Amino acid sequence: MADQAYTSSTLVVPDLNKVPRHIAIIMDGNGRWARKRFLPRMAGHARGVEAVRGTIRAAIERGVEYLTLFAFSSENWRRPAEEVSFLMQLFIKSLQKEVSRLHENGIRFRVIGDRSRFEPVLVRAIEAAEELTAKNTRLHLTIAANYGGRWDVLSALNRVLARQPGAARIDEESINAELSMNFAPEPDLFIRTGGEQRISNFLLWQLAYTEFFFTDALWPDFDGKALDQAIVSYQERERRFGRTSEQLVALAGGEVERHA
Ligand code: IPE
Ligand code: IPE
Ligand code: MG
């Protein structure tokens, strides 16, 4: 269950002048970054870890509260075995190397996704990192690994059904409470690097009203400046959630009820 209940972002209008509270990123383009340099794809993944470090630092400096990074999709097992195994080893090594630094910086670390296919050593490293950082609140850093949006929704539905056998209907709140991001508000801003414009089975349910930003920058080249571009683009938008512009002006003036 959620530590804290969040109202669906489709019901509350966030203040756009602010930095997005929750940013979710599909970190794509590592392979192409390497290929451009005549390097093996693995070199791109290794540089991708550097970009993760820089992005976490920038997110903290900008005051982002939740940063969710897609590191490995449930479909990525289809890649050559050698690459999959390299990515898993990189995950283990990065965790072991970075966890104390994450903790010192007040970062709460979580992993979402199906852990059942991970090696025990990786599962233990994840659990240790989650435990160590459990009380931190400066930035909620979530890594999506062996994650799929459909898996997330289906797992949530199955948990709801298990708790209410024979239930005639399931409501949105009970699904929200069982989703793997139940601790966070829905993403305000979604970023995908690497030029593709698709969701690739990332947070399907939670992206219902998220603002999208696509950039051709390849993930290893992503940095604080690139993050700022995405944030500026976000701040230029009008999030209407089905309302009219005029209603939003009235909302800002406090003349209309913010909810409903
Ligand atoms: C993203 O980069 C990292 C993972 C999916 C693990 P890619 O490896 O997909 O890089 P491209 O898309 O081949 O350039
Ligand atoms: C999607 O990247 C997931 C991650 C970044 C982990 P891919 O590069 O595998 O996406 P598709 O399959 O090409 O859409
Ligand atoms: Mg890719």
Side-chain angles (χ1 to χ4, degrees), residues 119-149:
E119 286 174 40
V121 55
L122 177 54
V123 176
R124 279 198 298 274
I126 292 170
E127 287 170 355
E130 287 182 334
E131 216 169 289
L132 177 70
T133 64
K135 295 207 164 63
N136 297 339
T137 54
R138 192 168 174 210
L139 173 76
H140 292 260
L141 171 68
T142 305
I143 304 294
N146 193 18
Y147 178 86

Side-chain angles (χ1 to χ4, degrees), residues 120-225:
V121 55
L122 177 54
V123 176
R124 279 198 298 274
I126 292 170
E127 287 170 355
E130 287 182 334
E131 216 169 289
L132 177 70
T133 64
K135 295 207 164 63
N136 297 339
T137 54
R138 192 168 174 210
L139 173 76
H140 292 260
L141 171 68
T142 305
I143 304 294
N146 193 18
Y147 178 86
R150 290 188 179 178
W151 165 84
D152 196 2
V153 174
L154 283 172
S155 314
L157 284 172
N158 281 316
R159 278 193 292 271
V160 174
L161 283 175
R163 269 195 292 105
Q164 331 168 1
R169 55 188 297 279
I170 294 174
D171 60 18
E172 197 173 311
E173 288 313 308
S174 55
I175 297 173
N176 284 339
E178 293 295 341
L179 288 168
S180 54
M181 293 293 301
N182 62 5
F183 56 87
E186 290 163 21
D188 299 294
L189 173 63
F190 161 98
I191 301 171
R192 181 171 188 146
T193 63
E196 316 289 357
Q197 303 196 353
R198 53 180 177 246
I199 301 182
S200 299
N201 200 15
F202 196 23
L203 303 160
L204 298 178
W205 179 278
Q206 298 87 342
L207 294 176
Y209 258 111
T210 301
E211 296 296 327
F212 281 51
F213 182 84
F214 296 99
T215 169
D216 288 335
L218 302 172
W219 177 252
D221 293 325
F222 194 85
D223 56 11
K225 222 174 117 203

Side-chain angles (χ1 to χ4, degrees), residues 13-184:
V13 180
D15 183 349
L16 259 181
N17 296 319
K18 287 204 192 125
V19 164
R21 283 185 78 192
H22 184 177
I23 301 182
I25 308 181
I26 297 190
M27 310 183 288
D28 197 15
N30 292 350
R32 279 162 286 162
W33 182 93
R35 202 170 57 216
K36 267 176 44 183
R37 289 163 179 78
F38 305 101
L39 294 169
R41 294 179 57 82
M42 319 302 166
H45 295 316
R47 281 299 290 263
V49 176
E50 304 289 322
V52 168
R53 208 177 285 131
T55 303
I56 294 171
R57 198 177 312 124
I60 289 181
E61 285 168 8
R62 310 303 185 268
V64 173
E65 294 172 53
Y66 297 84
L67 180 66
T68 305
L69 304 175
F70 204 5
F72 191 90
S73 74
S74 44
E75 290 72 31
N76 285 143
W77 296 104
R78 297 172 185 157
R79 294 194 178 197
E82 193 193 19
E83 181 167 345
V84 169
S85 139
F86 180 88
L87 285 167
M88 292 297 156
Q89 291 311 313
L90 187 63
F91 193 8
I92 296 169
K93 268 192 237 143
S94 309
L95 252 184
Q96 289 167 343
K97 195 167 151 227
E98 305 290 340
V99 67
S100 52
R101 212 171 335 178
L102 293 176
H103 186 47
E104 282 162 21
N105 282 291
I107 296 168
R108 172 137 192 205
F109 175 85
R110 291 181 181 90
V111 171
I112 54 166
D114 181 0
R115 299 179 192 187
S116 63
R117 265 181 94 169
F118 292 162
E119 286 174 40
V121 55
L122 177 54
V123 176
R124 279 198 298 274
I126 292 170
E127 287 170 355
E130 287 182 334
E131 216 169 289
L132 177 70
T133 64
K135 295 207 164 63
N136 297 339
T137 54
R138 192 168 174 210
L139 173 76
H140 292 260
L141 171 68
T142 305
I143 304 294
N146 193 18
Y147 178 86
R150 290 188 179 178
W151 165 84
D152 196 2
V153 174
L154 283 172
S155 314
L157 284 172
N158 281 316
R159 278 193 292 271
V160 174
L161 283 175
R163 269 195 292 105
Q164 331 168 1
R169 55 188 297 279
I170 294 174
D171 60 18
E172 197 173 311
E173 288 313 308
S174 55
I175 297 173
N176 284 339
E178 293 295 341
L179 288 168
S180 54
M181 293 293 301
N182 62 5
F183 56 87

Side-chain angles (χ1 to χ4, degrees), residues 7-16 18 188 234 237-244 247-249 251-252 256-260:
T7 310
S8 169
S9 67
T10 63
L11 296 178
V12 180
V13 180
D15 183 349
L16 259 181
K18 287 204 192 125
D188 299 294
Y234 169 85
R237 302 182 191 190
E238 184 176 67
R239 301 185 76 185
R240 290 189 289 275
F241 300 102
R243 299 173 184 81
T244 65
Q247 283 179 298
L248 290 181
V249 173
L251 275 172
V256 175
E257 183 61 40
R258 283 183 79 80
H259 294 259

